[in-house]
Amino acid sequence: MPTEVYVAGVGMAKFGKSELTLPQLMVEAASRAIVNARVSGLDYVFIGVMSVEEFTGESNFAALIADRLGLPGIPSARVETASSTGSAVFESAFYAVASGYHRNVLVVAGEKMTHLPTAQTTKILAEVIERNERKYGASMPSLAAMITRRYQHNAGLSDERLQSVLGKVAIKNHYNGSLNPFAQFRKIITKEDYFGSRYISTPLRTYDCAPITDGAVAVVLTLDKKLIRVSGLGHATDTLAVRYRDSLTSFKSTRLAAWQAYNMARLSPKDISFAEVHDAFTAFEIIGTEDLGFFPHGEGWKAVEEGDTSIKGRLPINPSGGLKARGHPVGASGLAQIAEVALQLRGDMDPARQISGARIGLTQNIGGLANNNLVTILERTDRYRPIPVYWKPDYDPGDIKPREISQEVTTADSGTLETYTTLYTTPEGVPSPLTLGFVRIPDGRLIMARSRQENLQIGQPVKVEKEGDLFYMQPNPPPEKNADGAKNWLLRALSPAERKEDNR
Amino acid sequence: MPTEVYVAGVGMAKFGKSELTLPQLMVEAASRAIVNARVSGLDYVFIGVMSVEEFTGESNFAALIADRLGLPGIPSARVETASSTGSAVFESAFYAVASGYHRNVLVVAGEKMTHLPTAQTTKILAEVIERNERKYGASMPSLAAMITRRYQHNAGLSDERLQSVLGKVAIKNHYNGSLNPFAQFRKIITKEDYFGSRYISTPLRTYDCAPITDGAVAVVLTLDKKLIRVSGLGHATDTLAVRYRDSLTSFKSTRLAAWQAYNMARLSPKDISFAEVHDAFTAFEIIGTEDLGFFPHGEGWKAVEEGDTSIKGRLPINPSGGLKARGHPVGASGLAQIAEVALQLRGDMDPARQISGARIGLTQNIGGLANNNLVTILERTDRYRPIPVYWKPDYDPGDIKPREISQEVTTADSGTLETYTTLYTTPEGVPSPLTLGFVRIPDGRLIMARSRQENLQIGQPVKVEKEGDLFYMQPNPPPEKNADGAKNWLLRALSPAERKEDNR
């Protein structure tokens, strides 16, 4: 019988652009969590920070925070898994408590990002991307944009409908953020605001992307019985390179992590009252709700259209405002999701944003471009407990069988366009705008390629040429002069069979 | 009754200057450990790297290594505590197994450092130092040098005797390294080599400092009973700033970690057959053997003089060659210490370097300037088990009571010189040579100060002035012209009472 681990306390420092240093933010969050937890003494401090050396020029951060907390002597370690660091540090702290070697463990996660120029921040964040894809100038938004466009293609959504759906996610999360005193953005946005915002990487606009944020959050875990129990943990990686995945529109790392978390908790998706889902990009919230088993693959967007995921809907998603509106200090976001769930389950929220009767909450946190994801389930210990189940997904959650290392494609001359984007905010040192795509070459593999023209369509044949160490593509035959031609191409490309092909 | 955790397998990639990339080195070590472990399947991969983003320009390293191992899907997290990362990642993996949630866990630690210019590497490593001390241009060797000089003062050693003792540590560890096929340096060094090597930071020479190294090491931990058990773990931090410590010549972080590890293992220092001690600097090996309870404080140097710590001595220290000769890839060293202990306990070594009858081995690993240290004890499960003890150190191991954050000293005009050094290899952007010292001001606190002259003596009164945001000091009265005057000062400064004052 495994040892149970409970959430004793939660604390946050306001997310946003802050004048405080990262240690100050982390001490503020930790102090609140310690007061909130009312535990006698702490045995360990786990620290979650992502790229703290590059953002702040400080290393040895675990010792630094232990010192600033006025606790030099206490054991302290830093845990990091890129943008899922906040959940991963919670997971490691969970094991330290569950092992029986530590009774009360403090987890503090934070990041300080707003003080650097955007191009430099974008470059630091782009270091999570696989080296070959990064070489092309790919940033996180551009990879997310290509995934979004492929999702649109598979789901058979028109440009207008896609934008309307993504806008609804942004508007919902900003509304939720407006109710959250710790959120970076507390301003409601309208459809006009959404459509008025500029493209970061087509089809993703500013309001589709989580902002750059400073912030910190802390949680105290304990062996002593408390109201909130950690009932499920799941964690899985995926290939670093996006082009080596079986599917672009569903994340194996989420599916595997969810499966583990549900089975550890003996719960199924229908037992979840609400969830915090990693909406670094609006489309990722939709894909997340599908991979978590809440909605069938390719149909998550319908739940958004129907308002099911709003704070008063059937399954509230991101009641905190999500990464989108609460903000996304990269190392802290996962722990902020967990803190939100704990506070909602306790019933500690302002009535305007309290989810009534919430019994079980879930968080899903993405590391890198969905290659190190975690799912965490918390539940109240004083409520009706669903009958234990072993949840069997009705789709293949993927496997972790050892696989051959994929060999780099060195020559290619043709293929079909799998997806593409035009990126406007490029990493430091990369020209803007930049059009990138994934091309499926005749042997079935995907390669990344740059394009000198933006007028492209999914499914169209392309000619590929190598220039230096980069592939460049162009439509083959060259694009029709008629501007409407492109749209026709889209319709022709969307055969029903194709729409289903990489839904799993 | 806590769950027992065993070492199933060990693997190393040769330490030194390597043409391989860090992922290649880590995959090589991991592959060897997996083969060596003969476990069926792995449940988790823990990654230990220190400043990988700055050394290699890659982040998201946990996912990257899981991918390169051909195991995309497996959960993976990176753990980091500066130069004790190798032990800290082992500790977190231990908890993951001890919690009962994972049966077989792979731990891989590595670092790639030799490809950068030394000044840049020194700068990256100096980011572990507290900001105020770093501002003065302090590097790791210069802080270690000041600690060494204070140790010399307290122990009442002449310059010649100190150098002879430090040289013996270097010669011993190089001898041990010459027997270790995975060591960076496999060349015996002589007394002449030692005295012929240049000063990095007085009194520390090149041969007193661990080198810059590439390397990786891996260990598989398991719940299944194996020959080698993890019997003790201890972990403690200390103030980031060296000047806020009670003692310069003993590390509270080691004392606390050792006490925890001995008590978890129900062992005392006399049960230890041999140890790997963090000899990033030769003097740290001596201080380490004192803080671990092997020798009384201030007397560890005698054991070196008498040969007790040689590989065939009474208590072999660093049979692997230590950080000094095996090399010091910062994130990997702690795990390499653990690997050495496991292999020695198994009796898997070449007879020339096998410690016969070894039953229990210990590692001590320093993070930063001794502010995040770990002690790990492994033992054979098939041998006589000493009667369980609760070891009570005969000195104060220190405490972890919350303490006030020390306030920065902003004005000072005089004090006495606590210790000093002249640094020749300065961090990028700092003039060389640079003379630094700690000055005890009248209220009892220590400040760091630069000096424009090198001819200083511990215990002498100094005048302090602020220039910009740095303190500068000069002897008060000014030094005697006679070159021998300095030596006389040393003898006068060394009253027997003073020699004992900060031995604890």
Side-chain angles (χ1 to χ4, degrees):
Chain A
M1 189 62 193
T3 310
E4 302 289 6
V5 178
Y6 301 88
V7 175
V10 165
M12 277 187 75
K14 190 181 182 310
F15 280 19
K17 187 169 171 55
S18 174
E19 295 306 309
L20 300 182
T21 65
L22 181 56
Q24 287 170 332
L25 287 167
M26 292 176 79
V27 167
E28 181 180 327
S31 305
R32 287 183 180 158
I34 292 168
V35 169
N36 187 254
R38 287 186 251 167
V39 294
S40 55
L42 293 172
D43 304 311
Y44 206 113
V45 182
F46 278 96
I47 304 297
V49 283
M50 178 178 152
S51 293
V52 69
E53 293 85 356
E54 292 169 292
F55 282 128
T56 74
E58 300 278 344
S59 67
N60 198 13
F61 219 71
L64 187 151
I65 297 297
D67 188 3
R68 295 296 183 87
L69 286 168
L71 293 169
I74 197 167
S76 183
R78 175 246 198 132
V79 176
E80 182 269 325
T81 57
S83 46
S84 60
T85 291
S87 302
V89 67
F90 180 89
E91 182 201 24
S92 280
F94 171 92
Y95 294 137
V97 177
S99 72
Y101 286 99
H102 298 286
R103 177 166 292 273
N104 301 317
V105 168
L106 173 67
V107 191
V108 197
E111 207 83 52
K112 175 83 183 172
M113 307 169 72
T114 64
H115 58 296
L116 297 181
T118 301
Q120 200 179 334
T121 301
T122 304
K123 190 179 181 188
I124 293 171
L125 296 177
E127 286 172 5
V128 305
I129 297 168
E130 187 262 351
R131 191 177 276 270
N132 186 282
E133 294 176 3
R134 197 190 321 154
K135 191 175 69 182
Y136 282 85
S139 61
M140 294 292 283
S142 57
L143 290 168
M146 288 192 277
I147 286 166
T148 303
R149 195 161 250 151
R150 187 71 202 184
Y151 181 93
Q152 171 193 8
H153 175 86
N154 292 357
L157 298 176
S158 67
D159 286 354
E160 292 68 25
R161 196 154 189 194
L162 174 77
Q163 294 267 299
S164 159
V165 166
L166 299 183
K168 277 186 205 288
V169 173
I171 291 164
K172 164 179 78 70
N173 290 355
H174 273 268
Y175 173 76
N176 295 351
S178 76
L179 304 173
N180 180 355
F182 291 98
Q184 177 167 14
F185 297 124
R186 302 205 55 199
K187 196 169 60 79
I188 289 169
I189 63 163
T190 63
K191 201 170 167 181
E192 290 66 40
D193 292 329
Y194 177 81
F195 280 99
S197 75
R198 68 187 183 85
Y199 284 115
I200 299 288
S201 193
T202 58
L204 299 181
R205 299 170 185 271
T206 306
Y207 279 122
D208 290 303
C209 303
I212 292 168
T213 310
D214 308 326
V217 55
V219 170
V220 177
L221 289 175
T222 181
L223 276 178
D224 298 321
K225 185 159 183 186
K226 300 277 177 184
L227 184 63
I228 310 295
R229 189 168 74 88
V230 184
S231 56
L233 288 177
H235 182 173
T237 53
D238 200 348
T239 58
L240 208 62
V242 173
R243 68 189 183 283
Y244 294 151
R245 312 248 175 106
D246 298 331
S247 168
L248 291 183
T249 55
S250 163
F251 300 140
K252 188 177 86 168
S253 42
T254 302
R255 300 196 309 268
L256 277 170
W259 195 19
Q260 291 167 28
Y262 289 131
N263 281 342
M264 176 173 155
R266 305 281 193 271
L267 295 168
S268 81
K270 69 177 170 17
D271 298 314
I272 305 301
S273 311
F274 69 100
E276 290 278 310
V277 175
H278 192 102
D279 60 328
F281 307 100
T282 46
F284 281 18
E285 175 176 311
I286 296 170
I287 290 172
T289 57
E290 298 173 3
D291 289 333
L292 290 163
F294 298 146
F295 308 114
H297 275 107
E299 299 183 19
W301 61 273
K302 294 180 188 166
V304 175
E305 275 200 344
E306 287 157 22
D308 289 344
T309 58
S310 70
I311 196 160
K312 300 294 177 198
R314 191 163 56 83
L315 179 66
I317 302 292
N318 287 323
S320 68
L323 279 54
K324 184 69 214 73
R326 183 185 52 221
H328 185 27
V330 281
S333 283
L335 198 62
Q337 295 177 315
I338 290 169
E340 171 76 12
V341 169
L343 292 172
Q344 286 282 2
L345 291 177
R346 277 191 185 170
D348 278 356
M349 293 301 187
D350 184 89
R353 77 187 208 85
Q354 177 66 51
I355 296 168
S356 62
R359 197 174 65 216
I360 301 170
L362 175 149
T363 73
Q364 178 250 13
N365 191 197
I366 294 180
L369 206 296
N371 37 44
N372 206 346
N373 295 10
L374 290 99
V375 172
T376 308
I377 302 175
L378 306 184
E379 72 178 293
R380 281 183 74 114
T381 51
D382 66 339
R383 296 275 178 95
Y384 165 79
R385 180 69 163 87
I387 294 162
V389 294
Y390 282 96
W391 179 60
K392 177 85 181 70
D394 54 4
Y395 55 86
D396 174 14
D399 58 53
I400 55 168
K401 280 205 300 279
R403 49 176 279 169
E404 289 287 310
I405 304 299
S406 306
Q407 292 301 309
E408 211 59 73
V409 174
T410 51
T411 56
D413 55 12
S414 68
T416 54
L417 187 61
E418 191 81 2
T419 184
Y420 67 98
T421 187
T422 299
L423 173 62
Y424 294 97
T425 305
T426 52
E428 203 173 28
V430 176
S432 168
L434 172 70
T435 298
L436 291 175
F438 283 119
V439 175
R440 195 169 290 283
I441 60 173
D443 71 3
R445 288 184 291 175
L446 285 184
I447 58 170
M448 187 171 264
R450 282 186 178 181
S451 167
R452 293 211 170 73
Q453 60 185 81
E454 300 177 19
N455 188 16
L456 301 171
Q457 291 302 331
I458 288 179
Q460 76 183 156
V462 291
K463 202 174 138 213
V464 176
E465 275 182 328
K466 200 147 190 182
E467 296 183 22
D469 59 351
L470 300 181
F471 286 115
Y472 279 79
M473 61 174 160
Q474 54 175 309
N476 181 22
E480 298 163 33
K481 293 286 178 211
N482 180 350
D484 284 344
K487 281 198 181 154
N488 293 337
W489 202 308
L490 174 65
L491 294 176
R492 267 181 279 138
L494 276 175
S495 74
E498 276 182 348
R499 287 179 205 170
K500 297 277 176 193
E501 91 195 326
D502 67 0
N503 282 347
R504 343 177 35 166
Chain B
M1 188 62 192
T3 310
E4 302 290 6
V5 178
Y6 300 89
V7 174
V10 165
M12 278 186 74
K14 190 180 181 311
F15 280 18
K17 187 170 169 56
S18 175
E19 295 306 308
L20 300 182
T21 64
L22 181 55
Q24 288 171 331
L25 287 168
M26 291 176 80
V27 167
E28 182 180 325
S31 306
R32 287 182 180 159
I34 292 167
V35 169
N36 186 255
R38 288 185 249 166
V39 292
S40 56
L42 291 172
D43 305 309
Y44 206 114
V45 182
F46 278 95
I47 304 298
V49 283
M50 179 178 152
S51 294
V52 70
E53 294 85 355
E54 293 168 292
F55 282 129
T56 74
E58 300 278 345
S59 67
N60 200 12
F61 219 71
L64 186 152
I65 297 298
D67 188 3
R68 295 295 183 86
L69 285 168
L71 292 170
I74 197 167
S76 183
R78 173 246 199 134
V79 177
E80 182 269 326
T81 57
S83 46
S84 60
T85 291
S87 302
V89 66
F90 180 88
E91 182 200 24
S92 280
F94 172 91
Y95 294 137
V97 177
S99 73
Y101 285 100
H102 299 287
R103 176 166 293 271
N104 301 317
V105 169
L106 174 65
V107 191
V108 197
E111 206 83 50
K112 175 82 181 174
M113 306 169 71
T114 65
H115 58 296
L116 297 181
T118 301
Q120 199 179 335
T121 302
T122 304
K123 189 179 181 188
I124 293 172
L125 296 177
E127 287 172 4
V128 305
I129 297 169
E130 186 264 350
R131 191 176 275 268
N132 185 284
E133 294 177 0
R134 197 191 320 153
K135 191 175 68 182
Y136 282 85
S139 63
M140 294 293 281
S142 56
L143 290 169
M146 288 193 276
I147 286 166
T148 304
R149 196 161 250 152
R150 187 72 202 182
Y151 181 93
Q152 172 193 6
H153 175 87
N154 292 355
L157 298 176
S158 67
D159 286 355
E160 292 68 26
R161 197 153 187 195
L162 174 77
Q163 294 266 301
S164 160
V165 167
L166 298 182
K168 276 184 204 294
V169 173
I171 292 163
K172 164 179 78 68
N173 290 354
H174 273 269
Y175 173 77
N176 294 351
S178 76
L179 305 173
N180 180 356
F182 291 99
Q184 178 167 13
F185 298 124
R186 302 205 56 199
K187 195 169 63 75
I188 289 169
I189 63 163
T190 62
K191 201 170 164 179
E192 289 66 39
D193 292 328
Y194 176 81
F195 281 99
S197 75
R198 68 185 182 85
Y199 284 115
I200 299 288
S201 194
T202 59
L204 299 181
R205 299 169 184 272
T206 305
Y207 279 123
D208 290 302
C209 303
I212 291 168
T213 311
D214 308 327
V217 56
V219 169
V220 177
L221 289 175
T222 181
L223 276 178
D224 298 321
K225 186 160 181 183
K226 300 278 176 183
L227 184 62
I228 311 296
R229 189 169 72 86
V230 183
S231 55
L233 288 176
H235 183 173
T237 52
D238 200 349
T239 57
L240 207 63
V242 173
R243 67 189 184 284
Y244 294 151
R245 312 248 175 107
D246 297 332
S247 168
L248 292 182
T249 56
S250 163
F251 300 142
K252 186 177 88 170
S253 43
T254 302
R255 300 196 310 269
L256 277 169
W259 195 19
Q260 291 167 27
Y262 289 130
N263 280 342
M264 176 173 155
R266 306 281 194 270
L267 295 169
S268 81
K270 68 178 173 13
D271 297 315
I272 304 302
S273 312
F274 68 100
E276 290 277 309
V277 174
H278 191 102
D279 59 329
F281 306 101
T282 47
F284 281 17
E285 176 177 312
I286 296 171
I287 291 173
T289 57
E290 297 174 3
D291 289 333
L292 290 163
F294 298 146
F295 308 114
H297 275 105
E299 298 183 19
W301 61 274
K302 293 179 187 168
V304 175
E305 273 200 344
E306 288 157 20
D308 289 344
T309 58
S310 71
I311 197 160
K312 299 295 177 199
R314 189 163 56 83
L315 179 66
I317 301 293
N318 288 321
S320 67
L323 279 54
K324 183 69 216 72
R326 183 187 50 222
H328 185 28
V330 281
S333 283
L335 198 62
Q337 295 177 315
I338 290 168
E340 171 75 14
V341 168
L343 293 171
Q344 286 281 4
L345 291 177
R346 276 188 184 173
D348 277 357
M349 294 299 185
D350 184 271
R353 76 184 207 87
Q354 176 67 50
I355 297 168
S356 64
R359 198 177 64 218
I360 300 169
L362 175 148
T363 72
Q364 178 251 11
N365 192 197
I366 293 180
L369 206 295
N371 37 45
N372 207 347
N373 294 10
L374 289 99
V375 171
T376 308
I377 302 175
L378 305 184
E379 72 178 294
R380 282 182 74 113
T381 52
D382 67 338
R383 296 276 178 94
Y384 164 78
R385 179 66 163 89
I387 294 161
V389 295
Y390 282 95
W391 179 61
K392 178 85 182 68
D394 54 6
Y395 55 87
D396 174 14
D399 58 54
I400 55 168
K401 280 204 299 281
R403 49 176 279 168
E404 289 288 309
I405 304 299
S406 305
Q407 291 301 310
E408 210 61 73
V409 174
T410 52
T411 58
D413 55 12
S414 69
T416 55
L417 188 62
E418 191 82 1
T419 185
Y420 67 97
T421 187
T422 299
L423 174 62
Y424 294 97
T425 306
T426 52
E428 203 172 28
V430 176
S432 168
L434 172 70
T435 298
L436 290 174
F438 283 119
V439 174
R440 195 168 291 281
I441 59 173
D443 71 2
R445 289 184 291 176
L446 285 183
I447 58 170
M448 186 171 265
R450 283 186 177 180
S451 167
R452 293 214 169 72
Q453 61 184 78
E454 301 178 18
N455 187 17
L456 301 171
Q457 291 304 330
I458 288 179
Q460 74 182 160
V462 291
K463 201 173 138 216
V464 176
E465 275 182 328
K466 201 145 190 185
E467 295 182 23
D469 59 349
L470 299 182
F471 285 115
Y472 279 78
M473 61 174 158
Q474 54 175 310
N476 181 24
E480 298 162 37
K481 293 287 177 212
N482 179 350
D484 283 344
K487 279 196 181 153
N488 292 336
W489 202 313
L490 175 64
L491 294 176
R492 266 181 280 139
L494 274 174
S495 73
E498 276 182 351
R499 287 178 206 169
K500 296 279 177 191
E501 88 194 329
D502 66 358
N503 282 346
R504 345 182 37 181

